[in-house]
Amino acid sequence: MASEKILIVEDDGILAAHLEDVLAALGYRPLPPVASAEAALAAATTLQPDLVLMDIELSGEASGIVAAEQIRACVEVPIIFVTGYSNDPLLQQAKTAVPYGYLNKPVPERELAATIELALHRHALDRRLRASEAALRASEERYRRLVENLNEGIWEIDAAGVTTFVNP
């Protein structure tokens, strides 16, 4: 059974409570819901959720899109937008926050569960990819330093006899 912590950012108290119930029934650990971008940023940085369900229209000055961008700048966590709006300009604007999913209200339980699982899986894959890329960069840097500092000459030519590399 899942045990990931999920932060709900929703300014409609009834919907937030419903999402809490659904997430708990699915085996997740819903964190106390918050209703504003400012509270979302504070909760995401202090509570370290595994995923954030974020409404786009929030109470307060900033939107869920702004909150998602701020959270991504501080915490590595997947964000899924859950909103009652589905117009194209809003979707285009929401893309700037690089969400892991986008769901329209009311969200069927199965669709919510599937979207959360896919987002968590994609996030795990993204982390592994970043770790692999960092290891590759480190390996390439070691190889470059080794070749540049050898006291022996290394000369590489291609099949046509054109020099492609010569170390110092």
Side-chain angles (χ1 to χ4, degrees), residues 39-108:
L41 180 59
T45 55
T46 58
L47 301 175
Q48 299 292 307
D50 297 301
L51 185 132
V52 177
L53 289 177
M54 175 88 65
D55 189 5
I56 289 181
E57 295 293 325
L58 298 172
S59 61
E61 303 249 340
S63 71
I65 296 169
V66 170
E69 291 169 343
Q70 292 172 343
I71 289 169
R72 281 184 37 93
C74 299
V75 182
E76 185 183 327
V77 61
I79 297 171
I80 297 173
F81 285 127
V82 181
T83 186
Y85 300 96
S86 61
N87 62 39
D88 284 338
L90 188 63
L91 285 174
Q92 293 306 315
Q93 186 182 3
K95 287 180 184 178
T96 64
V98 193
Y100 275 66
Y102 189 94
L103 297 167
N104 285 318
K105 298 175 191 175
V107 181

Side-chain angles (χ1 to χ4, degrees), residues 155-165:
W155 179 23
E156 181 180 83
I157 59 171
D158 64 15
V162 176
T163 299
T164 57
F165 177 81

Side-chain angles (χ1 to χ4, degrees), residues 90-138:
L90 188 63
L91 285 174
Q92 293 306 315
Q93 186 182 3
K95 287 180 184 178
T96 64
V98 193
Y100 275 66
Y102 189 94
L103 297 167
N104 285 318
K105 298 175 191 175
V107 181
E109 186 176 316
R110 288 177 53 150
E111 187 176 347
L112 177 65
T115 303
I116 289 171
E117 283 303 308
L118 287 172
L120 291 169
H121 180 68
R122 179 180 147 209
H123 183 63
L125 291 174
D126 287 348
R127 280 169 137 175
R128 286 189 2 220
L129 177 61
R130 283 190 298 276
S132 294
E133 288 171 340
L136 177 60
R137 282 190 300 276

